[in-house]
Amino acid sequence: MRLNRILLSVVLVVVALVVQVSVLARLQLPGAVPDLLLLVVLALAFVYGHVSGALIGFGAGLLADLAPPADHAAGRYALVLCVIGYLAGLLKPENGQLKSAMVPMIGVVAAAIGSTLLYALVGALVGDTAARHVGLGSLLFTAAVYDLLLAPFVVPLVMAVARRTVNDPLAETSGGGDVAAGWLASGTGLRIGSQRGGLRVKAARSRAARAGRIKGVKRL
């Protein structure tokens, strides 16, 4: 990862963790806690890809494991976010824009459910049975609902900021906001292929017109 991406990721992860611990964890909502850190990892993985997503997820999860009032084994959430970041990075669009808002929406729901299941599975392997007492079904449902409600306010903003650190000529031509705009509305990005095709047609027409004028002069 480049230095600007690392710095931005660190800042966003730290801010998300602080808000998560100091605000969201104290709301005392029924079931799960809205996972702002998960949403930040997802948004960065959507932009940077699966390798960077895995690294960012591991670092974010490790900070969450070590930050108070964490009461679980260190490395547990790091493993979860590492896997989630890698899988989310596989959804990165090749042309730098999302054609449908359904992709990140499905990604958020799948990540919320998958992270909860994986966290409970790892906990069961190390002897933590807290999920059984709370109710795994309730945790899965509330995690998906809370994260899906919070995602429209977090994911587009983080993606838009992250796009500014991507030095991709194709992405710059299509516009840095197209990826984030795809979360809220589909079909808003510019299509580079159609633009190039139009330019080629115009160039061919101009060449044909010039050839016709030259032939007319020769006939005279």
Side-chain angles (χ1 to χ4, degrees):
M1 292 179 64
R2 298 177 181 177
L3 181 60
N4 56 353
R5 298 187 189 185
I6 295 176
L7 293 177
L8 177 63
S9 301
V10 170
V11 171
L12 292 176
V13 166
V14 170
V15 171
L17 182 60
V18 171
V19 175
Q20 176 96 18
V21 174
S22 61
V23 179
L24 298 179
R26 299 184 180 183
L27 294 179
Q28 297 181 351
L29 296 174
V33 176
D35 201 338
L36 181 61
L37 195 61
L38 174 66
L39 297 179
V40 170
V41 171
L42 285 177
L44 293 175
F46 286 153
V47 178
Y48 294 153
H50 59 283
V51 176
S52 298
L55 294 175
I56 295 172
F58 179 81
L62 189 59
L63 286 178
D65 289 332
L66 299 177
D71 56 353
H72 54 268
R76 180 176 172 184
Y77 201 47
L79 174 61
V80 172
L81 287 188
C82 180
V83 174
I84 295 298
Y86 179 85
L87 296 178
L90 297 177
L91 300 177
K92 175 188 175 184
E94 295 181 358
N95 60 350
Q97 64 182 31
L98 291 171
K99 296 181 179 180
S100 174
M102 291 299 297
V103 174
M105 290 176 63
I106 295 174
V108 169
V109 175
I113 296 176
S115 62
T116 304
L117 285 174
L118 186 57
Y119 186 83
L121 177 61
V122 175
L125 293 177
V126 298
D128 185 359
T129 59
R132 297 180 182 177
H133 301 289
V134 177
L136 185 58
S138 175
L139 286 177
L140 292 175
F141 177 76
T142 54
V145 172
Y146 294 156
D147 290 351
L148 190 59
L149 292 176
L150 186 61
F153 304 98
V154 178
V155 177
L157 179 61
V158 174
M159 291 178 69
V161 174
R163 286 300 306 170
R164 297 181 179 273
T165 64
V166 178
N167 188 17
D168 186 356
L170 181 60
E172 290 176 0
T173 306
S174 62
D178 291 339
V179 176
W183 166 258
L184 299 175
S186 61
T188 57
L190 299 176
R191 295 185 178 179
I192 304 303
S194 60
Q195 288 181 347
R196 290 177 177 174
L199 292 176
R200 291 174 182 173
V201 172
K202 291 181 180 179
R205 290 178 179 176
S206 62
R207 288 195 298 267
R210 287 197 300 268
R213 289 195 296 269
I214 294 174
K215 290 181 179 179
V217 172
K218 290 182 177 179
R219 289 178 182 177
L220 294 177

